[in-house]
Amino acid sequence: MFLLGWTIWCVLLTLRESTWGLEVSGYGSDEVICPQGLYDCTSKDETSLTIADKEAVEVKNLNLHIKLCCKNKGLCTICLWIDTEINIHPDEDMEDEGYPWSEEEDYHEETRNPKASVTVCYNTAATMPLCKKVEFTVNHTDPPLQNQAKISVVIAKPTGISFSSRVIVYTLPSYLRREVLVPSLTDVCSQDQQEQLKECHVPRLNSVINQETNEVELLSADGSETLPSVCIQYEHSGRCQRWNSTTVPLYAVTSCMCFQVWDKDSETSRRSRSCPFRNSDFSWRNVWQNVSVSVGQGQTNDRRLMLWWNLSAPCRLEGEVWPCHKVISCQEIKGFRQLTNGTWRQNLKGQWEKTGVFEDINLQFGLCVMVKVKGMEENLGPFCYKNTERMRWSLLIVCLLLMACVTVLISCLLHAFVKKWVWSWRHGGFVKIGRRHHVVLLSPPDMDDGVSESVCQLGSLLCSQGFSVSVDQWSRKQQCRQGPLPWLHSQLLELDNCGGRVVLVLNSRALERADEWTLRHKDAIKTKTEEKGQPQPGSPYSDVFMACLFLIQADRHLGRPGKRFLLVNLDSNLCSEKRIPEPLQGLTLFQLPTQTKAFLTELTL
């Protein structure tokens, strides 16, 4: 019974201090308050090991209070206020501490006004006991009533005691024990005295809406240019995410958005919390615009089909959810309405989610879900359940049709290219489609006007087909300035860099000159001497023609006679290939205009 009463007393005392908060005292240092009948009250630090076992004072009652000691309206600190009710026994042998009885008058003075003391100790679960010994003198002329007195001990800035600490106080040697819980810093700072307590000072934040930039500017309430540490929290129980910017986009502002602010120096210090957009219309619109609903099929524990729904939003919402059949309009299925009130959870993205299910409902028809949110004029939805099995077959059919269409389209586009590839493969190699080379077109020697016009027409045809063409007849000024041979060498250098062919136009005179060149070349090899006689004078183009024969002979020795040179015959009466002179044998000969297409294809190889 005694233990039960003691437990109830401690609980009531703890609740009293925690609920009522802290009273304010005007003491700023350690004090001892004695009643009338006691004087020379002093206190000193003591340890429990040095306290005597016998005292002339009996402690009858002990009370402990946690107060705020504020001197001269300055900053306050936590202090212990200990009230002791004592009984004094003057007939017992009271110890005289520090007063020798060597003289008779001192002996009579001590007898009339005996000294006494009481010791109080305090500690927490994490600290060693600390004691205060209060000494006082009893006034024999005006003693306390019935030898009972109340002594109060004020301990300012007690060692090891902070907010939310559990403090134990007891007396010695008459052992009385009391225990009290110091209120938390949050409870204390909620009182009117929070400005007087240093620990309650926290930074504040002001928010200003900038309509031009569509942003919310964050400013320090004390006018500082730098912001304290800030985190953004959606709903009171939501996670607070650090925010390192001085602005917040206006589209991200919601009605439940709150800011927590604290000093950068300490991550565990007290924080201020403000929710400035709770009653703003635009913040509610942002919430409604970010509502999303998903619907799916599931099974209960007894394997019955059910329709589940998931509602997510930046803030918790109040409203209703119900299923419906979507035919023309979504008709409500009666008896399945559910409220969105209840337990919401915050996902990893910071969104609040609410999930529910509709059991014993037919999922064969097109089911949808409608949502009514408190504050919105219109309903949200319908959000429909999608049959994933049917969707898989539909997707497969669509993919097959798409592949067929692409195949047909590619076949049509590549039909012409395939024909060219097949033709060129039959003729010894694949054609490089779309590539146009450089062509050097050389006229035969001693040609007449008809042959000259035919060469010019052939050059124009090649230009119209996209080839880069150099005709010797079109470059007379360059030949006169550079000379026929340097001009030809410059054209061959461009041909080697860009790729292409040298086209040599044949006629009867060109064949004769080729035969003459062959005889002279063989005679020069045989005799190793200078040629006898001089060549007959020819046209200005004969030097270019004869130089081509030397280059063809050089390519023949390198094993590539037909790599750079082609022959074209414009004369239908020209002899057959069997009578072509030796230097020109092995080169591809095209008869124009009957083999024009084959000739153009060969130029693209």
Side-chain angles (χ1 to χ4, degrees):
M1 188 67 182
F2 173 76
L3 291 177
L4 179 60
W6 173 251
T7 302
I8 295 174
W9 167 254
C10 291
V11 171
L12 291 176
L13 185 60
T14 300
L15 291 175
R16 177 181 180 273
E17 295 294 341
S18 302
T19 306
W20 293 355
L22 299 181
E23 298 180 1
V24 177
S25 171
Y27 294 97
S29 59
D30 294 353
E31 296 287 344
V32 177
I33 304 172
C34 290
Q36 184 178 359
L38 305 180
Y39 63 96
D40 291 338
C41 292
T42 60
S43 67
K44 63 179 181 179
D45 295 333
E46 192 82 3
T47 62
S48 58
L49 298 178
T50 61
I51 297 174
D53 294 336
K54 184 179 181 181
E55 289 284 352
V57 175
E58 180 185 4
V59 180
K60 303 297 292 183
N61 195 10
L62 175 65
N63 289 322
L64 171 62
H65 306 280
I66 306 295
K67 296 187 177 183
L68 292 179
C69 290
C70 311
K71 188 175 183 180
N72 299 328
K73 296 183 179 180
L75 293 178
C76 302
T77 59
I78 295 178
C79 61
L80 299 181
W81 188 289
I82 305 172
D83 292 331
T84 59
E85 297 179 7
I86 61 174
N87 286 344
I88 304 173
H89 305 287
D91 296 335
E92 297 185 8
D93 184 15
M94 294 186 178
E95 182 182 357
D96 175 23
E97 300 180 10
Y99 291 91
W101 291 356
S102 57
E103 298 182 3
E104 183 177 357
E105 57 181 277
D106 294 334
Y107 172 79
H108 293 294
E109 181 67 22
E110 291 298 330
T111 302
R112 291 192 302 268
N113 300 321
K115 292 184 66 66
S117 65
V118 62
T119 302
V120 292
C121 302
Y122 68 92
N123 72 290
T124 63
T127 60
M128 294 293 293
L130 297 175
C131 300
K132 288 285 186 179
K133 185 174 183 179
V134 179
E135 297 179 330
F136 53 89
T137 303
V138 180
N139 189 348
H140 72 284
T141 59
D142 188 14
L145 183 62
Q146 298 180 354
N147 291 327
Q148 295 181 353
K150 180 179 179 182
I151 299 177
S152 298
V153 181
V154 179
I155 304 177
K157 299 180 181 179
T159 304
I161 295 178
S162 60
F163 295 99
S164 301
S165 298
R166 186 172 295 278
V167 183
I168 301 172
V169 175
Y170 57 91
T171 60
L172 291 175
S174 301
Y175 187 80
L176 287 181
R177 185 177 182 273
R178 296 290 184 269
E179 184 176 336
V180 69
L181 179 65
V182 181
S184 64
L185 182 62
T186 302
D187 294 337
V188 175
C189 293
S190 63
Q191 301 181 83
D192 296 336
Q193 294 84 10
Q194 58 177 319
E195 297 299 330
Q196 296 177 275
L197 195 61
K198 182 179 180 180
E199 289 83 352
C200 292
H201 293 174
V202 291
R204 302 284 179 179
L205 198 67
N206 292 333
S207 57
V208 179
I209 299 177
N210 191 331
Q211 297 292 350
E212 296 181 357
T213 61
N214 289 329
E215 293 178 333
V216 175
E217 299 178 355
L218 305 180
L219 305 174
S220 180
D222 59 2
S224 176
E225 296 182 358
T226 59
L227 286 178
S229 296
V230 180
C231 69
I232 294 180
Q233 182 183 28
Y234 292 92
E235 298 289 353
H236 182 75
S237 58
R239 294 188 304 272
C240 204
Q241 301 178 353
R242 288 293 298 268
W243 189 259
N244 298 321
S245 177
T246 58
T247 59
V248 178
L250 206 58
Y251 64 81
V253 175
T254 63
S255 57
C256 63
M257 173 184 282
C258 300
F259 299 103
Q260 289 190 19
V261 187
W262 67 96
D263 288 327
K264 291 183 178 180
D265 298 335
S266 176
E267 292 289 334
T268 59
S269 63
R270 182 172 174 267
R271 303 183 179 190
S272 65
R273 185 174 183 272
S274 60
C275 307
F277 311 108
R278 192 169 297 277
N279 298 320
S280 301
D281 293 337
F282 76 92
S283 64
W284 279 106
R285 288 195 299 270
N286 290 342
V287 175
W288 298 333
Q289 292 174 0
N290 287 278
V291 175
S292 62
V293 180
S294 58
V295 183
Q297 175 184 335
Q299 285 186 344
T300 60
N301 294 334
D302 54 357
R303 298 186 178 276
R304 290 183 302 167
L305 294 179
M306 66 178 183
L307 184 70
W308 60 263
W309 55 269
N310 180 274
L311 175 64
S312 65
C315 305
R316 296 190 185 100
L317 300 174
E318 295 183 8
E320 292 180 320
V321 180
W322 63 89
C324 60
H325 285 304
K326 186 176 182 181
V327 185
I328 299 177
S329 61
C330 208
Q331 299 178 355
E332 179 182 356
I333 303 176
K334 301 297 184 179
F336 286 94
R337 286 214 173 201
Q338 296 180 2
L339 297 177
T340 61
N341 304 339
T343 303
W344 289 68
R345 65 180 183 88
Q346 193 175 26
N347 59 23
L348 296 178
K349 296 182 179 180
Q351 295 281 314
W352 287 93
E353 292 183 340
K354 172 68 176 178
T355 302
V357 295
F358 297 114
E359 299 181 5
D360 299 327
I361 191 169
N362 191 350
L363 300 181
Q364 298 300 323
F365 302 97
L367 289 183
C368 302
V369 168
M370 295 290 293
V371 180
K372 172 63 177 178
V373 176
K374 181 180 179 180
M376 293 187 65
E377 296 180 357
E378 299 181 355
N379 297 335
L380 297 177
F383 304 95
C384 297
Y385 158 68
K386 299 178 181 178
N387 192 328
T388 56
E389 184 175 356
R390 182 183 302 175
M391 188 175 182
R392 291 194 192 100
W393 284 105
S394 301
L395 184 61
L396 178 61
I397 295 174
V398 171
C399 290
L400 293 176
L401 293 176
L402 183 61
M403 291 177 61
C405 294
V406 170
T407 303
V408 173
L409 179 61
I410 293 177
S411 300
C412 295
L413 293 176
L414 297 181
H415 179 68
F417 295 99
V418 171
K419 291 178 63 177
K420 290 184 178 180
W421 287 342
V422 172
W423 184 92
S424 62
W425 177 73
R426 291 178 178 177
H427 288 76
F430 284 102
V431 179
K432 299 177 181 178
I433 303 300
R435 184 176 179 183
R436 294 294 182 261
H437 298 293
H438 183 63
V439 178
V440 180
L441 186 60
L442 300 182
S443 304
D446 303 330
M447 61 181 177
D448 54 16
D449 294 339
V451 175
S452 176
E453 184 178 356
S454 298
V455 172
C456 292
Q457 291 177 356
L458 179 59
S460 300
L461 174 64
L462 295 176
C463 289
S464 64
Q465 295 296 321
F467 294 97
S468 173
V469 182
S470 293
V471 183
D472 52 359
Q473 295 187 49
W474 298 346
S475 306
R476 289 181 178 179
K477 291 184 179 180
Q478 296 180 6
Q479 293 180 34
C480 294
R481 184 172 61 252
Q482 300 178 2
L485 293 178
W487 175 84
L488 179 59
H489 282 292
S490 65
Q491 296 299 318
L492 291 178
L493 288 176
E494 183 178 356
L495 184 144
D496 292 338
N497 293 331
C498 301
R501 297 291 185 93
V502 177
V503 179
L504 189 60
V505 180
L506 298 181
N507 61 2
S508 59
R509 181 57 182 162
L511 297 179
E512 294 176 0
R513 294 297 299 273
D515 289 333
E516 294 176 2
W517 182 89
T518 303
L519 294 175
R520 292 180 182 180
H521 183 65
K522 290 181 178 180
D523 186 58
I525 295 175
K526 183 177 181 181
T527 61
K528 300 292 183 179
T529 58
E530 296 181 359
E531 296 181 358
K532 299 178 180 181
Q534 300 294 330
Q536 298 180 1
S539 68
Y541 308 103
S542 61
D543 289 339
V544 177
F545 182 80
M546 300 300 285
C548 283
L549 297 179
F550 280 103
L551 293 175
I552 292 172
Q553 186 67 20
D555 284 355
R556 188 183 304 278
H557 289 305
L558 296 175
R560 53 179 189 180
K563 183 176 181 180
R564 296 194 295 177
F565 295 91
L566 295 176
L567 300 179
V568 171
N569 180 20
L570 300 177
D571 188 0
S572 59
N573 297 322
L574 193 64
C575 57
S576 63
E577 291 185 6
K578 296 181 180 180
R579 298 184 55 187
I580 291 178
E582 183 180 348
L584 301 179
Q585 291 181 3
L587 301 181
T588 305
L589 174 63
F590 292 94
Q591 185 72 36
L592 301 185
T594 58
Q595 295 182 331
T596 301
K597 186 175 181 180
F599 171 66
L600 295 177
T601 304
E602 182 69 21
L603 290 178
T604 60
L605 296 177

